[in-house]
Amino acid sequence: MTHDTIKIFVGCDPNNCDLEQMMVLDYSIRKNTQHPVEITWMQLSHDQNSPWYSDQIKHTGWCTEKWATPFSGFRWAIPELCNFQGRAIYMDADVIVLTDIAELWNTAFDQNTMVIAKGGKSTARLCTCIWNCAVAENYLPKLQQLKQDPNAHKKLMKLIKEQSNLVQNYTDNYNCIDGEELPINEIKILHYSDMGTQFSHKYSIPRLKLDGQKHWFDGEIMLHPRPDLTALFDQYYQEAIAAGYKLKDYKISAYGDFLKATQINYHGNKITRPDSQDNWFNRTIGKIKSKIKGNKFSLDD
């Protein structure tokens, strides 16, 4: 199996907001493996022949209005795009691979497992996962149905929660969410998941501003709490450039406006923002107290 081409599908933005993430991910994969790799960038497209086609005016192709990201629902299309044969890896773009990707690729499937993911069972996170494409054919809707149903992503996440036998767990550090208090040498795949603290923002936002563009993430942007992980991204970014990788190689004709759920009230995760994970009541009371005292506060506090 290690001699097979490793198929990797990556969800990313269609308006060139994620170029830095794409370059670093691509470089990190190839830096750490000698195996042939084929990366498919999954981005909304106006091309009717593309599997990622969406006409947001005519309401044809993918319906994205309930997605948290520009690519949330794409992962479910992967098994059919592989003709329901073999296996395929899915990743979000905000990932750095720190091990040989063949280790993940060669993970053995249990009988009747549809997908291998972090957590497994009812807590599965599919932001880095391995599809058993043949088994998936028995459970996933056809591509055309996926495209037309804006609730398909939510329904399928419910499916794997209810049918936990379809999900097989792998080692947590293959999808290490924002470090999880692990030292770098124990992380195999780093997912800098908190959309507000992503390392790439310091590069992408100024670049986009020069072109009169805004980033697709509309929530509050702040520093990541792990300086060592920030430095790791910077290291891989500079190494990629020194190795001949260029942002322009990942650039496409921008898709333009598309519908997506807002992250204005996004609160990240317990790893990057433990103090923001209080329940709704405590957050609300705190805001009221701040207002009474005449202090400034934000809806994202």
Side-chain angles (χ1 to χ4, degrees), residues 37 45 55 67 70 83 87 94 97 101 117 155 192 253 271 294:
V37 171
S45 172
D55 188 320
W67 294 2
N83 298 313
R87 59 178 59 205
D94 50 347
V97 176
I101 196 66
K155 289 176 181 176
Y192 45 106
S253 296
I271 299 158

Side-chain angles (χ1 to χ4, degrees), residues 27-222:
Y27 169 73
S28 72
I29 292 170
R30 299 180 194 280
K31 173 185 177 178
N32 291 300
T33 191
Q34 297 298 314
H35 300 285
V37 171
E38 176 187 282
I39 298 177
T40 299
W41 305 107
M42 301 189 295
Q43 298 166 287
L44 286 170
S45 172
H46 291 293
D47 180 0
Q48 295 187 36
N49 295 317
S50 169
W52 322 118
Y53 167 72
S54 176
D55 188 320
Q56 309 256 311
I57 297 175
K58 296 180 179 179
H59 303 289
T60 57
W62 288 95
C63 297
T64 64
E65 59 265 32
K66 296 189 177 181
W67 294 2
T69 72
F71 48 83
S72 297
F74 286 164
R75 70 201 72 192
W76 306 102
I78 293 170
E80 184 168 341
L81 294 175
C82 293
N83 298 313
F84 296 112
Q85 297 175 2
R87 59 178 59 205
I89 291 174
Y90 168 76
M91 291 179 169
D92 292 347
D94 50 347
V95 163
I96 306 175
V97 176
L98 301 172
T99 191
D100 189 339
I101 196 66
E103 295 176 8
L104 182 62
W105 176 255
N106 290 324
T107 304
F109 284 106
D110 292 341
Q111 188 176 11
N112 298 322
T113 291
M114 180 176 77
V115 65
I116 302 176
K118 180 186 177 77
K121 308 305 179 186
S122 62
T123 60
R125 298 190 60 135
L126 302 187
C127 30
T128 295
C129 62
I130 318 164
W131 286 104
N132 186 342
C133 298
V135 172
E137 185 175 15
N138 299 320
Y139 298 96
L140 299 186
K142 293 298 183 183
L143 182 56
Q144 194 57 37
Q145 185 179 344
L146 282 172
K147 292 179 180 180
Q148 294 173 346
D149 184 359
N151 294 305
H153 178 55
K154 184 177 181 179
K155 289 176 181 176
L156 290 168
M157 289 302 294
K158 183 180 180 183
L159 169 71
I160 64 171
K161 182 175 182 179
E162 293 175 344
Q163 298 193 40
S164 58
N165 59 296
L166 299 179
V167 184
Q168 176 183 330
N169 185 22
Y170 60 45
T171 306
D172 277 357
N173 53 5
Y174 278 119
N175 185 9
C176 182
I177 307 298
D178 286 298
E180 300 183 39
E181 300 184 355
L182 291 177
I184 290 175
N185 63 0
E186 293 184 17
I187 299 173
K188 291 182 179 290
I189 297 178
L190 173 65
H191 181 197
Y192 45 106
S193 173
D194 184 335
M195 291 182 279
T197 64
Q198 291 184 338
F199 314 121
S200 51
H201 286 324
K202 71 178 182 181
Y203 299 100
S204 61
I205 291 175
R207 171 178 58 77
L208 291 165
K209 188 175 181 180
L210 288 175
D211 292 335
Q213 290 182 260
K214 289 184 177 181
H215 198 279
W216 62 265
F217 175 68
D218 59 353
E220 183 181 2
I221 293 174
M222 57 189 71

Side-chain angles (χ1 to χ4, degrees), residues 223-242:
L223 292 176
H224 196 282
R226 289 275 302 264
D228 60 330
L229 299 183
T230 302
L232 177 70
F233 181 90
D234 292 340
Q235 173 193 330
Y236 268 68
Y237 179 85
Q238 295 300 334
E239 284 183 12
I241 292 173

